[in-house]
Amino acid sequence: MECTGNDQPSKKLIRSKSGLRIVVANEDQRSPFVIGEPQWTPDKEATHCTKCSTKFGFTTRRHHCRRCGQIYCSSCCDEKLEIPRMCFIDPVRVCLNCAPAVVEENKFFECHLKTLTNGATFVLEKEENIIDSENETLQCKLSQDHRYLIFDGAKIAPLEIGHIRILRLHKDY
């Protein structure tokens, strides 16, 4: 697939057992930052909460965490968070174990990923004769499908994200 940076993957709305999701129509165009839904633990396999060991019964219902698929009581799975990494449209139920990770992933999706897709300045270090000078400062951005870094004004072909081995982030405050 030739990447121009303007490639917008077609998307579709699906209803899963966890909620409504917007996903790419073609799996080959799925962002490498997106993960699928986990396999849910079957209800009959869980007699107690995964976290606090409360016994499930008539008054204590089972709840699946949408991120890990494990079964919890309502106290241990009461957070409802957006999970853009899993393409959910609305906030979904998340356990206390997964909530901190979801918050960090959301920071990446809301801040860093937007910066990358809008463009940023990178210092490309010389390796394997990719560039002529020792280091080169380049403007680049992430392609719409999040699979390639596209260099503006440089004679460098788009670089597949999967081929990046080392990435150092330097922030100017």
Side-chain angles (χ1 to χ4, degrees):
M1 177 178 136
E2 183 79 15
C3 178
T4 64
N6 298 322
D7 301 334
Q8 276 284 34
S10 59
K11 297 183 179 183
K12 61 184 178 180
L13 181 66
I14 63 167
R15 179 180 300 278
S16 71
K17 61 184 172 186
S18 300
L20 286 175
R21 299 174 62 218
I22 294 181
V23 297
V24 292
N26 181 350
E27 272 299 304
D28 293 340
Q29 295 178 322
R30 185 175 61 126
S31 168
F33 301 116
V34 170
I35 58 174
E37 289 184 71
Q39 187 74 30
W40 277 17
T41 301
D43 286 353
K44 63 183 176 199
E45 289 184 14
T47 56
H48 295 79
C49 174
T50 302
K51 184 165 179 66
C52 72
S53 300
T54 296
K55 184 171 175 52
F56 295 122
F58 183 71
T59 57
T60 307
R61 296 189 54 215
R62 294 169 176 85
H63 298 280
H64 285 89
C65 171
R66 295 334 191 242
R67 187 171 182 277
C68 69
Q70 297 295 313
I71 297 177
Y72 299 90
C73 67
S74 61
S75 298
C76 295
C77 194
D78 67 343
E79 295 232 25
K80 286 202 173 191
L81 298 172
E82 293 181 3
I83 309 181
R85 186 167 191 204
M86 295 176 78
C87 306
F88 287 112
I89 293 176
D90 297 317
V92 292
R93 191 177 288 272
V94 179
C95 70
L96 296 175
N97 293 336
C98 290
V102 170
V103 168
E104 289 303 311
E105 291 168 353
N106 288 353
K107 285 180 190 175
F108 171 78
F109 271 81
E110 292 167 11
C111 180
H112 305 301
L113 193 57
K114 284 182 181 176
T115 298
L116 289 171
T117 54
N118 290 330
T121 302
F122 285 80
V123 176
L124 185 62
E125 296 178 359
K126 184 175 183 174
E127 181 178 299
E128 301 174 19
N129 298 322
I130 294 174
I131 58 176
D132 296 329
S133 63
E134 281 300 312
N135 293 323
E136 188 172 341
T137 302
L138 302 167
Q139 285 291 320
C140 64
K141 62 184 175 181
L142 200 56
S143 63
Q144 292 298 316
D145 64 2
H146 306 154
R147 294 180 171 279
Y148 298 89
L149 274 180
I150 299 164
F151 301 93
D152 292 338
K155 295 179 180 176
I156 300 173
L159 178 64
E160 272 189 72
I161 293 296
H163 290 152
I164 296 174
R165 292 185 301 215
I166 299 172
L167 178 68
R168 288 188 296 255
L169 178 64
H170 297 277
K171 273 183 133 177
D172 292 331
Y173 293 96

